[in-house]
Amino acid sequence: MADPNEPIHIATEDARAGSTPHMTRYILVISLVLVIAIFGFLVIR
């Protein structure tokens, strides 16, 4: 039986059960730019 106080070491890819593409960063940046542009347009208008 395993010792419950011993830390478990699992590789990042195994723990996430898949790859982690960087698309999320691009989506967040593009969305932020669009929101700022829309708010800027509404304030100027």
Side-chain angles (χ1 to χ4, degrees):
M1 193 155 147
D3 182 15
N5 294 326
E6 184 176 332
I8 300 172
H9 297 285
I10 301 174
T12 303
E13 290 295 321
D14 293 335
R16 292 181 180 168
S19 64
T20 54
H22 297 288
M23 283 302 286
T24 306
R25 292 181 187 172
Y26 299 127
I27 292 171
L28 288 174
V29 169
I30 292 169
S31 299
L32 180 63
V33 169
L34 286 174
V35 167
I36 291 172
I38 291 169
F39 280 142
F41 176 75
L42 291 175
V43 168
I44 292 173
R45 202 176 133 220

